Amino acid sequence: MIGRIALTGALIRDVEYPSTPRMQQGTITLGVYARFTINWDGHYFNVYASQPSHISWLLNNNVRAGSSVIVNGRFKIRNYTTSRGSRGVSYSITLEQIALAVEVEITLGRRVAGERPADSEATTASITQQLRQRGLVTTTITDQFVNDLQAANDDEQSVFFVERFLEKFPCSVLGLVDSVARALALQVPKEMRTSLLFHQPSEVSVPQFRRFLSNTSIVFDTARLTESLIASFIAEMWIQPTESTSIATTTTTTTTTTTSEMEI
């Protein structure tokens, strides 16, 4: 049975902004979403927000650990068994409405003093750029995506490479704005792009990447780009698969096995 729930609670930790690239019908999607956990009367609810306007609201209002919010959305209960054999229950909410909780009386749809509105024109691309600039987005790569990306055409690989380059390259240290960094990423040769992403046929060396930078038409202060920064960038560009987790629980476990779930 599907239903909705509205409740007020305080965040027990900062908001996370995961990104899990996927290949769908030959096209790479680079969506990002927000997730956080709130405490309501001793119960913990995992809240998931995928709409750009909701993520914009979270950023604009600096929602973090300790913030009190009221959320409204679809409610799901998930029963699971831990690797130690004990049973547990997790509660999740797919966000539809959110507001700051001030004192006792709260009205969804009405802003309280100091609350900033969401950006009604926010898009996935603009939100991803904001999160990247603030260093908040975390990307999870799956084995399936790596396989799909390796089989993709050059254009699709280039789309993913540019976004990963913007996420990993030390733009803030070098004072590079997003548009300049994007232009720099587009100048990376195909062979070097493949080596950076897959370590095929071999890993890119620091001298090789520095030579590329010295020959590019993009002008910036390369003196601040130390060998350690380049080495760190090369290491972070390599896509190393990790299994993504679709739901977070407040119980610390190494493995969870879902036994049943229901939406109410």
Side-chain angles (χ1 to χ4, degrees), residues 52 57 150 194 217 261:
W57 185 92
Q150 287 179 317
T194 303
S217 61
E261 67 177 40

Side-chain angles (χ1 to χ4, degrees), residues 123-179:
T123 63
T124 299
S126 67
I127 288 298
T128 301
Q129 182 177 342
Q130 285 186 56
L131 293 171
R132 185 168 52 238
Q133 290 173 342
R134 300 188 190 190
L136 295 175
V137 67
T138 55
T139 303
T140 299
I141 303 296
T142 64
D143 291 315
Q144 183 61 54
F145 178 76
V146 174
N147 293 334
D148 290 342
L149 186 62
Q150 287 179 317
N153 59 41
D154 289 345
D155 290 341
E156 291 298 337
Q157 286 188 5
S158 179
V159 168
F160 176 78
F161 176 83
V162 170
E163 293 302 320
R164 191 164 181 84
F165 187 98
L166 294 176
E167 181 183 339
K168 303 299 183 182
F169 198 67
C171 299
S172 59
V173 175
L174 302 174
L176 295 182
V177 297
D178 192 82
S179 59

Side-chain angles (χ1 to χ4, degrees), residues 8 68 100-106 112:
T8 305
S68 292
L100 290 177
V102 178
E103 301 189 0
V104 179
E105 297 193 6
I106 304 147
V112 301

